[in-house]
Amino acid sequence: MAEAGYHSHLSLEAVAFVVALPKKGQRRVLSLADRVAKKPFAIGDFRTVDVAGRTIENILLEDYLFSFWVDHASCEVRIFEIIRV
């Protein structure tokens, strides 16, 4: 079930990763990022904690690992790292 109003927000590092991909790869990764944002309350494949003490969800979708936290106040899924695995 999609949560209305949540959108993906990519960090500068995540944007740099996407921009370095070929056009087809860019579309694919951005589509996957939107898929992550559609379920902001979903639990990832594993959790970590960042230096600020936030719980970071890490989810593997297709060939990519997305690391993110959810900012419920602004209805944004903050994707700060994307890694091709």
Side-chain angles (χ1 to χ4, degrees):
M1 176 165 144
E3 302 296 330
Y6 279 79
H7 302 281
S8 60
H9 175 87
L10 277 60
S11 69
L12 292 176
E13 292 82 6
V15 168
F17 176 86
V18 172
V19 169
L21 295 170
K23 217 38 142 178
K24 185 177 179 181
Q26 290 175 6
R27 286 190 298 271
R28 181 176 172 213
V29 169
L30 291 175
S31 175
L32 292 171
D34 286 341
R35 199 164 119 193
V36 171
K38 285 182 182 177
K39 297 187 178 186
F41 295 99
I43 297 172
D45 294 312
F46 65 96
R47 288 182 172 166
T48 55
V49 177
D50 71 4
V51 294
R54 284 186 293 253
T55 299
I56 304 301
E57 296 291 344
N58 297 274
I59 189 166
L60 183 63
L61 293 175
E62 298 182 18
D63 301 352
Y64 299 93
L65 178 68
F66 290 82
S67 298
F68 63 94
W69 60 278
V70 181
D71 183 344
H72 293 289
S74 63
C75 294
E76 293 178 333
V77 174
R78 305 266 179 160
I79 300 170
F80 66 90
E81 185 175 46
I82 306 169
I83 299 172
R84 184 168 186 155
V85 293

